[in-house]
Structure formats: C-alpha cells, structure tokens
Amino acid sequence: MRVEEMICILCPRGCHLTVTQDGDDIQVTGNTCPRGKQYGINELTHPMRTVTTSVYVENPGRDKMLSVKTSEAIPKEKIGEVLKAAQGVKAQVPVKVGDVLIPGVAGTEANLVATRNIG
C-alpha cells in the first residue's frame, strides 16, 4: 500500500490531501471538491507541470530576456528536457504573447510560447 500526503494547488483553499493506493484502487481524502480528488489521483499516478522560464532575445534593445512557458502541462519527468531546450533559444523581435518558440518541446504535445510582447 502506498500513502502520499500532498496539498492541492488547484484553488486557494489548499486542501491537505491523503492519497492511498492499494493496487488499482486509489482513494483521496481531505478534498473539498471533485477537482481535488482528481488532482490527488493525477499527482500520484502521473504528475504534470506547466514549466516557466526565460530565453534570450536576439538583437536586444531594452529587453534582453523573454519570459516563456509551456502551452500546457507536461509530464513532470520532462521538465529538465524542456529547460535544456529553452537554453538554446534566442527569440526574434518582434514577439507577441502566445508566439511559439519551440513546437512540441521535449517530444510533448506542448509548445514553448512567449508570455509577453517585445518590440
């Protein structure tokens, strides 16, 4: 039997969850809404994260760095690959929010996208 304690991060309540797995049976307690239950199950079986970082700007004016993020949550084990891929990026000005800098980053369905406008 596997038991994990965690805090749900889906809303400001921050419910303290206890997730228990016994074979294929997973039980979540401590949640005050169905989203907390699903969060606990996902976090135990396949944790996902949205990655945020910065990349350099080619021919920078005032802005030398651009904030970026994955367009959707990716498997937690892919975070290092996403950060490594971002190290080699130099954004071309002008950049608009949502511009894709790396499609399918680290072999995932997510794109690495700009989170602000430059130029």
Side-chain angles (χ1 to χ4, degrees):
M1 180 180 300
R2 178 178 175 192
V3 178
E4 297 282 336
E5 302 284 332
M6 60 188 72
I7 297 174
C8 180
I9 59 171
L10 296 181
C11 79
R13 278 193 171 144
C15 295
H16 290 258
L17 307 178
T18 301
V19 185
T20 307
Q21 182 177 25
D22 190 5
D24 290 338
D25 182 42
I26 299 175
Q27 299 294 320
V28 179
T29 58
N31 57 301
T32 56
C33 72
R35 292 183 344 173
K37 179 179 180 180
Q38 192 59 51
Y39 173 82
I41 292 168
N42 291 345
E43 192 64 14
L44 187 73
T45 60
H46 195 245
M48 303 284 281
R49 298 289 186 271
T50 299
V51 178
T52 61
T53 189
S54 298
V55 299
Y56 288 102
V57 174
E58 185 77 33
N59 299 321
R62 183 179 64 120
D63 299 299
K64 293 181 170 83
M65 301 294 287
L66 170 68
S67 58
V68 296
K69 71 177 191 105
T70 52
S71 59
E72 59 191 77
I74 61 156
K76 188 176 176 182
E77 65 269 12
K78 294 279 192 172
I79 292 172
E81 291 178 53
V82 169
L83 295 174
K84 187 173 182 178
Q87 284 179 339
V89 171
K90 287 201 175 193
Q92 301 293 319
V93 179
V95 179
K96 296 198 181 315
V97 171
D99 281 357
V100 175
L101 295 152
I102 305 176
V105 65
T108 69
E109 297 290 319
N111 299 321
L112 191 68
V113 299
T115 61
R116 67 184 184 108
N117 299 323
I118 295 180

